[in-house]
Amino acid sequence: MKPLLWPGSAERLVKPQAGRIEQRSNWTSLQMEARPDIEPPGCGYALEILTGSKSEPLGLSSNHGHAWIRLWQEDGRYASLGFYPDESTGIDPERVPGLRYPGMLLSPDKYDRVGWPGQSTVIPLSRERFEALVAWIEHLQAGRQKGALVFDMVDRNCAGFVVEAAAQAGVKARADQPILAFLPAWMHLPPGLTGWIRPVRRLFYRLGLAVFGGFSTVNWYWSRGEGGDLIRCQVSGQKPLFETVRDLFSKKVPFNHVLALQQWQKRQAGTHPIHLRTERPAPEHRLSTADGKAMGEAG
């Protein structure tokens, strides 16, 4: 991992040439489609929350899975969306988990049709709530060049986006996952010690994020013009995870993870108005090598 020990040093992580430029991030309005291999939820307008991974169990950094959404219309057509770090910067987000830099909303989501084993939670919507959710998402997309789509690996990741989308639908989803839950059981402290040691753990968590990008941002990404030429796009308004030293001691920084979102999905099974669809079957076809590598960056 490459530590960043002072604000603004993140620019040295950006490669001089463009990384992968994802064309699915260049949409302006959501395009609905109907697919015979994907069954509508059967409740009219709906927000569907999907989580999955190519294998179990989910990990802290490797194989941490992905979360995305589908927006369903009354006629059975839908649009899928997922939130990712902008790959054009060439930055590996796992090497700088505290760094904030441009993100991208992909529609359709790159893993929506892969067929991973996973979970699907359906939230029925009124037509008014559906239209408001579409408007909110398109507003995020319209604000991308102004810095409205900010990504980091801890709270502004794929799971965090899903939680925000659920909030727009009037549902309080949970994706906050203690990092310590991924440690072996023998490393866990006795219950009597956790009360007074928890603030110390949180401080070390924030210090780690500060060292690995927490005071820095990257304010540009690459795109292609109409003629196919590379364009370096500037954004503004991005703020680092920590703006002052005081933030290291006081700012709450949740860690959103697909595992916690899946646990929330299971708790909602059978509750009104949310219901859990049957788990999606194992994939009949495997990811390509390129998509398999990208799986490590999903979320």
Side-chain angles (χ1 to χ4, degrees):
M1 298 179 75
K2 295 182 180 180
L4 303 175
L5 301 178
W6 55 86
S9 61
E11 295 290 348
R12 66 185 174 87
L13 297 180
V14 181
K15 298 178 181 179
Q17 69 277 8
R20 178 180 179 181
I21 297 177
E22 179 56 73
Q23 295 303 313
R24 282 173 288 192
S25 68
N26 293 330
W27 57 274
T28 55
S29 60
L30 286 178
Q31 301 299 312
M32 303 291 174
E33 63 176 339
R35 292 183 59 85
D37 55 331
I38 297 180
E39 182 182 357
C43 59
Y45 294 104
L47 168 66
E48 184 177 8
I49 295 173
L50 300 106
T51 57
S53 61
K54 62 180 179 180
S55 62
E56 296 288 344
L58 292 174
L60 176 59
S61 58
S62 62
N63 189 39
H64 44 68
H66 182 50
W68 68 102
I69 65 171
R70 291 174 182 158
L71 282 174
W72 287 94
Q73 288 189 153
E74 208 171 30
D75 60 5
R77 294 186 300 152
Y78 79 97
S80 65
L81 295 106
F83 189 47
Y84 297 82
D86 194 304
E87 300 170 352
S88 71
T89 62
I91 295 174
D92 180 354
E94 294 180 4
R95 296 173 67 88
V96 281
L99 177 65
R100 283 187 166 172
Y101 63 104
M104 57 183 183
L105 279 172
L106 299 190
S107 184
D109 180 83
K110 68 170 72 176
Y111 299 117
D112 186 63
R113 302 166 194 170
V114 171
W116 290 337
Q119 295 173 169
S120 165
T121 301
V122 175
I123 303 170
L125 302 173
S126 65
R127 178 172 181 173
E128 293 75 19
R129 182 82 78 170
F130 170 85
E131 291 175 349
L133 190 50
V134 170
W136 173 73
I137 290 171
E138 291 182 345
H139 175 74
L140 288 182
Q141 180 70 0
R144 177 181 179 181
Q145 294 186 3
K146 300 177 182 178
L149 284 177
V150 181
F151 181 93
D152 67 46
M153 280 293 289
V154 290
D155 63 338
R156 300 189 63 85
N157 53 24
C158 66
F161 166 71
V162 168
V163 169
E164 290 187 16
Q168 296 293 320
V171 173
K172 187 177 181 179
R174 292 292 304 273
D176 189 6
Q177 172 73 32
I179 290 180
L180 294 176
F182 291 98
L183 297 177
W186 63 270
M187 297 182 68
H188 292 183
L189 292 173
L193 295 177
T194 56
W196 66 270
I197 201 86
R198 188 176 291 117
V200 178
R201 285 177 164 174
R202 289 173 180 167
L203 176 59
F204 275 99
Y205 166 62
R206 291 191 291 261
L207 285 173
L209 294 176
V211 170
F212 292 99
F215 280 107
S216 302
T217 63
V218 172
N219 297 316
W220 57 270
Y221 64 96
W222 295 95
S223 185
R224 289 193 182 277
E226 294 182 0
D229 297 331
L230 284 173
I231 301 173
R232 178 166 153 161
C233 304
Q234 295 289 139
V235 299
S236 60
Q238 292 209 23
K239 296 181 179 179
L241 185 62
F242 303 114
E243 297 183 68
T244 67
V245 174
R246 180 180 296 181
D247 287 344
L248 293 178
F249 299 92
S250 60
K251 184 173 183 178
K252 294 182 179 179
V253 184
F255 174 57
N256 291 321
H257 195 280
V258 174
L259 177 61
L261 190 56
Q262 287 187 331
Q263 292 170 346
W264 173 83
Q265 287 179 291
K266 290 178 180 178
R267 291 194 299 270
Q268 306 310 307
T271 63
H272 181 78
I274 305 172
H275 62 276
L276 186 70
R277 300 180 83 182
T278 56
E279 292 197 354
R280 300 190 305 282
E284 297 179 358
H285 58 280
R286 296 298 174 186
L287 294 172
S288 66
T289 303
D291 281 346
K293 181 179 180 182
M295 168 61 191
E297 300 175 357

